[in-house]
Amino acid sequence: MDVDFGPLTPLIGSWKGDKGLDIAPDPDGIEENPFYETIEFTAVGDVKNAEEQVLSVVRYIQKVYRKRDDKHFHDQTGYWLWDPATDEVIHSFTIPRGVCVLAGGKATDSSDKSVEIEVKASIDDPNYSIIQAPFMSQKAKTTGFEMTLSVKDEVLYYKETTHVNIYGNKDFKHVDENRLTKA
């Protein structure tokens, strides 16, 4: 049986983009990092939970490099899941700093193979939350996450905001965005 990936279908494949901008916290204020990246989305199939929920699953790996020195400064891996019964989209990911995010939301898709997905998580949300290692909780605590991702005409655009308590700032909005094309 073929798996219906619903709104996740246009993600599947390899993507490259060099228009990224990372607005990150710095001890002296704000640091802006232009970047380029690759994201590989792979169809996993479907997964059955507790004999009643069936999720369509896409795995991804994202590699991000600073333009100024070609340094690999961000690596992320995770899953996008779609529940056709509730039309809910779930984004789970881990970054190798001791932070894991489980965000949920909805997708709007159309018959022209375009889609827009919005997900969010908050440290206080009992369902879609953030967990982190003790060092991160003490020094760079993530309290919220929102992401909008859209795909249209072989172009993927995303903007994500991570709310971080760092360097004395109680709600620094760490923003990343980029425009990628299908390879």
Side-chain angles (χ1 to χ4, degrees):
M1 179 168 79
D2 289 327
V3 175
D4 177 6
F5 289 97
L8 305 180
T9 302
L11 297 177
I12 298 167
S14 299
W15 298 83
K16 293 181 180 184
D18 64 356
K19 308 278 188 260
L21 182 61
D22 168 58
I23 300 171
D26 181 271
D28 299 320
I30 296 174
E31 176 180 275
E32 292 188 5
N33 295 297
F35 67 85
Y36 62 96
E37 70 183 305
T38 61
I39 306 176
E40 179 73 36
F41 293 95
T42 305
V44 172
D46 58 8
V47 174
K48 194 169 193 177
N49 287 332
E51 299 300 321
E52 63 183 77
Q53 182 189 43
V54 178
L55 300 171
S56 301
V57 181
V58 173
R59 177 181 49 241
Y60 76 95
I61 186 159
Q62 177 182 22
K63 296 181 180 188
V64 184
Y65 303 84
R66 280 190 185 96
K67 283 186 173 183
R68 73 173 179 254
D69 59 9
D70 293 322
K71 182 178 178 187
H72 183 193
F73 79 103
H74 183 82
D75 195 273
Q76 182 173 307
T77 190
Y79 295 91
W80 284 93
L81 305 99
W82 175 59
D83 184 342
T86 63
D87 205 29
E88 185 172 33
V89 175
I90 302 166
H91 182 202
S92 66
F93 65 91
T94 303
I95 55 174
R97 292 188 172 132
V99 178
C100 302
V101 175
L102 182 66
K106 294 285 185 182
T108 306
D109 60 339
S110 63
S111 60
D112 66 354
K113 296 188 180 186
S114 67
V115 66
E116 182 170 301
I117 301 170
E118 292 185 31
V119 294
K120 62 172 98 172
S122 170
I123 200 163
D124 298 324
D125 189 312
N127 296 309
Y128 293 109
S129 193
I130 299 140
I131 59 172
Q132 51 213 311
F135 179 87
M136 294 302 284
S137 287
Q138 295 166 11
K139 300 290 184 176
K141 186 174 189 170
T142 299
T143 60
F145 173 82
E146 303 90 54
M147 181 178 197
T148 300
L149 180 147
S150 62
V151 179
K152 184 173 173 114
D153 299 328
E154 306 283 312
V155 175
L156 182 152
Y157 170 78
Y158 72 86
K159 181 176 183 178
E160 61 186 34
T161 303
T162 306
H163 300 262
V164 184
N165 295 345
I166 189 169
Y167 306 132
N169 188 327
K170 288 295 182 194
D171 187 29
F172 184 90
K173 291 174 179 56
H174 180 172
V175 177
D176 292 297
E177 61 184 314
N178 201 359
R179 183 181 171 176
L180 301 94
T181 55
K182 207 162 206 178

